[in-house]
Coordinates of all heavy atoms in Angstrom, one line a residue:
L1 N 58.6 112.6 93.1 CA 58.6 112.9 94.5 C 57.4 113.8 94.8 O 57.1 114.8 94.1 CB 59.9 113.5 94.9 CG 61.2 112.7 94.6 CD1 62.4 113.6 94.9 CD2 61.2 111.5 95.5
G2 N 56.8 113.6 96.0 CA 55.7 114.4 96.4 C 54.5 114.4 95.5 O 54.4 113.3 94.8
P3 N 53.8 115.4 95.3 CA 53.8 116.7 96.1 C 53.0 116.6 97.4 O 52.2 115.6 97.5 CB 53.2 117.7 95.1 CG 52.2 116.9 94.4 CD 52.8 115.5 94.3
P4 N 53.2 117.5 98.4 CA 54.2 118.5 98.3 C 55.6 117.9 98.7 O 55.7 116.9 99.3 CB 53.8 119.5 99.4 CG 53.0 118.6 100.4 CD 52.3 117.6 99.5
F5 N 56.6 118.6 98.2 CA 58.0 118.2 98.5 C 58.9 119.4 98.8 O 59.0 120.3 98.0 CB 58.5 117.4 97.2 CG 60.0 117.0 97.4 CD1 60.3 116.0 98.2 CD2 61.0 117.6 96.6 CE1 61.7 115.6 98.3 CE2 62.3 117.2 96.7 CZ 62.6 116.2 97.6
L6 N 59.5 119.4 100.0 CA 60.4 120.5 100.4 C 61.6 119.9 101.0 O 61.6 119.0 101.9 CB 59.6 121.3 101.4 CG 60.4 122.5 102.0 CD1 59.5 123.7 102.2 CD2 61.0 122.2 103.4
V7 N 62.8 120.4 100.5 CA 64.1 120.0 101.1 C 64.5 121.2 102.1 O 64.5 122.3 101.7 CB 65.1 119.8 100.1 CG1 66.5 119.7 100.7 CG2 64.8 118.6 99.2
L8 N 64.7 120.8 103.3 CA 65.2 121.8 104.3 C 66.6 121.3 104.6 O 66.8 120.3 105.3 CB 64.3 121.7 105.6 CG 64.5 122.9 106.6 CD1 63.2 123.0 107.4 CD2 65.7 122.6 107.5
A9 N 67.6 122.1 104.1 CA 69.0 121.7 104.3 C 69.7 122.6 105.3 O 69.3 123.8 105.4 CB 69.7 121.8 102.9
T10 N 70.6 122.0 106.0 CA 71.4 122.8 107.0 C 72.8 122.7 106.7 O 73.3 121.7 106.2 CB 71.1 122.3 108.4 OG1 71.8 121.1 108.6 CG2 69.6 122.1 108.7
Q11 N 73.6 123.7 107.1 CA 75.0 123.7 107.1 C 75.5 124.6 108.2 O 75.0 125.6 108.5 CB 75.6 124.1 105.8 CG 75.3 125.4 105.2 CD 76.0 125.7 103.9 OE1 76.7 124.9 103.4 NE2 75.7 126.9 103.4
N12 N 76.6 124.1 108.8 CA 77.3 124.9 109.9 C 78.2 125.9 109.3 O 79.1 125.6 108.5 CB 78.1 123.9 110.8 CG 78.6 124.6 112.0 OD1 78.9 125.8 112.0 ND2 78.7 123.8 113.1
P13 N 78.0 127.2 109.6 CA 78.8 128.2 108.9 C 80.2 128.4 109.5 O 81.0 129.2 109.0 CB 78.0 129.5 109.1 CG 77.3 129.2 110.4 CD 77.0 127.8 110.4
Y14 N 80.5 127.6 110.5 CA 81.8 127.9 111.2 C 82.8 126.7 111.1 O 83.9 126.8 111.4 CB 81.6 128.2 112.7 CG 80.7 129.3 112.9 CD1 79.4 129.2 113.5 CD2 81.1 130.6 112.5 CE1 78.6 130.3 113.6 CE2 80.2 131.7 112.7 CZ 79.0 131.5 113.3 OH 78.2 132.6 113.4
E15 N 82.3 125.5 110.6 CA 83.2 124.4 110.5 C 83.5 124.1 109.0 O 82.5 123.9 108.3 CB 82.6 123.1 111.2 CG 82.5 123.3 112.7 CD 81.9 122.0 113.3 OE1 81.8 121.0 112.6 OE2 81.6 122.0 114.5
F16 N 84.7 124.1 108.6 CA 85.1 123.9 107.2 C 85.9 122.7 107.0 O 86.2 122.3 105.9 CB 85.8 125.2 106.7 CG 85.1 126.4 107.0 CD1 85.6 127.4 107.7 CD2 83.8 126.6 106.5 CE1 85.0 128.6 108.0 CE2 83.1 127.8 106.8 CZ 83.7 128.8 107.5
E17 N 86.4 122.0 108.1 CA 87.1 120.8 107.9 C 86.2 119.6 107.4 O 85.2 119.4 108.0 CB 87.8 120.4 109.3 CG 88.8 121.3 109.8 CD 90.0 121.4 108.9 OE1 90.3 120.4 108.3 OE2 90.7 122.5 108.9
G18 N 86.7 119.0 106.3 CA 85.9 117.9 105.8 C 84.6 118.3 105.1 O 83.7 117.5 105.1
T19 N 84.5 119.5 104.6 CA 83.3 119.9 104.0 C 83.5 120.2 102.5 O 84.6 120.4 102.0 CB 82.7 121.2 104.6 OG1 83.7 122.3 104.4 CG2 82.5 121.0 106.1
Y20 N 82.4 120.1 101.7 CA 82.4 120.4 100.3 C 81.5 121.6 100.1 O 80.2 121.3 100.1 CB 82.0 119.2 99.5 CG 82.8 117.9 99.7 CD1 82.6 117.1 100.8 CD2 83.8 117.6 98.8 CE1 83.4 116.0 101.0 CE2 84.6 116.5 99.0 CZ 84.4 115.7 100.1 OH 85.2 114.6 100.4
P21 N 82.0 122.8 99.9 CA 81.1 123.9 99.8 C 80.1 123.7 98.6 O 80.4 123.2 97.6 CB 82.0 125.1 99.5 CG 83.4 124.6 100.0 CD 83.4 123.2 99.9
L22 N 78.8 124.1 98.9 CA 77.8 124.0 97.8 C 78.1 124.9 96.6 O 78.4 126.0 96.8 CB 76.4 124.4 98.4 CG 75.9 123.5 99.5 CD1 74.5 124.0 99.9 CD2 75.8 122.1 99.2
P23 N 78.1 124.3 95.4 CA 78.3 125.1 94.2 C 77.2 126.1 94.0 O 76.1 125.9 94.5 CB 78.4 124.1 93.1 CG 77.6 122.9 93.6 CD 77.8 122.9 95.1
E24 N 77.5 127.2 93.3 CA 76.5 128.2 93.0 C 75.2 127.6 92.4 O 74.1 128.1 92.7 CB 77.1 129.3 92.1 CG 77.9 130.3 92.8 CD 79.3 129.7 93.3 OE1 79.8 128.7 92.6 OE2 79.8 130.1 94.4
S25 N 75.4 126.6 91.5 CA 74.2 126.0 90.9 C 73.2 125.4 91.9 O 72.0 125.4 91.7 CB 74.6 125.0 89.8 OG 75.4 123.9 90.5
Q26 N 73.8 124.8 92.9 CA 72.9 124.2 93.9 C 72.4 125.2 94.9 O 71.2 125.1 95.3 CB 73.7 123.1 94.7 CG 72.7 122.3 95.6 CD 73.2 120.9 95.9 OE1 74.0 120.4 95.1 NE2 72.8 120.3 97.0
L27 N 73.2 126.2 95.3 CA 72.7 127.3 96.1 C 71.5 128.0 95.5 O 70.5 128.4 96.1 CB 73.8 128.3 96.4 CG 74.8 127.8 97.4 CD1 76.0 128.8 97.4 CD2 74.2 127.7 98.8
D28 N 71.6 128.1 94.1 CA 70.5 128.8 93.4 C 69.2 128.0 93.4 O 68.2 128.6 93.1 CB 71.0 129.0 91.9 CG 70.3 130.2 91.2 OD1 69.9 131.1 92.0 OD2 70.2 130.1 90.0
R29 N 69.3 126.7 93.8 CA 68.0 125.9 93.8 C 67.3 126.2 95.1 O 66.1 125.7 95.2 CB 68.4 124.4 93.7 CG 68.9 124.0 92.4 CD 67.9 124.2 91.3 NE 68.1 123.5 90.1 CZ 69.0 123.8 89.1 NH1 69.7 124.9 89.2 NH2 69.1 123.1 88.0
F30 N 67.9 126.8 96.1 CA 67.2 127.1 97.4 C 66.4 128.4 97.2 O 67.0 129.4 96.9 CB 68.1 127.1 98.5 CG 68.7 125.8 98.9 CD1 69.9 125.4 98.5 CD2 67.9 125.0 99.8 CE1 70.4 124.1 98.9 CE2 68.4 123.7 100.1 CZ 69.7 123.3 99.7
L31 N 65.1 128.3 97.5 CA 64.3 129.5 97.4 C 64.8 130.6 98.3 O 64.9 131.8 97.9 CB 62.8 129.2 97.7 CG 61.9 130.4 97.5 CD1 61.5 130.6 96.1 CD2 60.6 130.2 98.4
L32 N 65.1 130.3 99.5 CA 65.6 131.3 100.4 C 66.5 130.7 101.5 O 66.5 129.4 101.7 CB 64.5 132.1 101.1 CG 63.2 131.4 101.6 CD1 63.5 130.9 103.0 CD2 62.0 132.3 101.7
R33 N 67.2 131.5 102.2 CA 68.1 131.1 103.3 C 67.7 131.9 104.5 O 67.4 133.0 104.4 CB 69.6 131.3 102.9 CG 70.5 130.9 104.0 CD 71.9 131.3 103.8 NE 72.0 132.8 103.7 CZ 73.1 133.5 103.5 NH1 74.3 132.8 103.2 NH2 73.2 134.8 103.5
L34 N 67.8 131.2 105.7 CA 67.6 131.9 106.9 C 68.5 131.4 108.0 O 69.2 130.4 107.8 CB 66.1 131.7 107.4 CG 65.6 130.3 107.7 CD1 65.9 129.9 109.1 CD2 64.1 130.2 107.5
R35 N 68.6 132.2 109.0 CA 69.4 131.8 110.2 C 68.4 131.8 111.4 O 67.7 132.8 111.6 CB 70.5 132.7 110.5 CG 71.6 132.7 109.4 CD 72.8 133.6 109.8 NE 73.9 133.5 108.8 CZ 74.1 134.3 107.8 NH1 73.2 135.3 107.7 NH2 75.1 134.2 107.0
L36 N 68.4 130.7 112.2 CA 67.5 130.7 113.3 C 68.0 131.6 114.5 O 67.2 132.3 115.1 CB 67.3 129.3 113.8 CG 66.4 128.4 112.9 CD1 66.4 126.9 113.5 CD2 65.0 128.9 112.9
G37 N 69.3 131.5 114.8 CA 69.8 132.2 115.9 C 69.5 131.7 117.2 O 68.5 130.9 117.3
Y38 N 70.2 132.1 118.2 CA 69.9 131.6 119.6 C 68.5 132.3 120.0 O 68.3 133.4 119.8 CB 71.0 132.0 120.5 CG 72.3 131.3 120.3 CD1 73.4 131.9 119.8 CD2 72.4 129.9 120.6 CE1 74.6 131.3 119.6 CE2 73.5 129.2 120.4 CZ 74.6 129.9 119.9 OH 75.8 129.2 119.6
P39 N 67.7 131.5 120.8 CA 66.5 132.1 121.3 C 66.7 133.1 122.4 O 67.8 133.1 123.1 CB 65.7 130.9 121.8 CG 66.8 129.9 122.2 CD 67.9 130.1 121.2
A40 N 65.8 134.0 122.6 CA 65.8 134.9 123.7 C 65.8 134.1 125.0 O 65.3 133.0 125.1 CB 64.7 135.9 123.7
R41 N 66.2 134.7 126.1 CA 66.3 134.0 127.4 C 65.0 133.5 127.8 O 64.8 132.3 128.3 CB 66.9 134.9 128.5 CG 67.1 134.2 129.8 CD 67.7 135.1 130.9 NE 67.9 134.4 132.1 CZ 68.9 133.7 132.5 NH1 69.9 133.6 131.7 NH2 69.0 133.2 133.7
A42 N 63.9 134.3 127.7 CA 62.6 133.9 128.1 C 62.1 132.7 127.3 O 61.5 131.7 127.9 CB 61.6 135.0 128.0

């Protein structure tokens, strides 16, 4: 695959029905995690 090759994965932190939590081994494969958050009004 690639290069370059980047996986950008998303998950909703508030809905847990019908989800399979990511195991630690897979979370460890993500270099970093961020939250976008709601934008400012302007």
Side-chain angles (χ1 to χ4, degrees):
L1 300 170
F5 176 70
L6 179 142
V7 171
L8 194 158
T10 74
Q11 60 178 358
N12 189 329
Y14 302 113
E15 292 183 13
F16 308 121
E17 295 293 333
T19 62
Y20 301 83
L22 297 181
E24 281 69 33
S25 61
Q26 187 153 340
L27 285 169
D28 205 27
R29 290 300 198 278
F30 287 98
L31 182 81
L32 48 82
R33 180 190 63 181
L34 63 86
R35 294 186 176 97
L36 287 175
Y38 292 111
R41 184 180 178 89

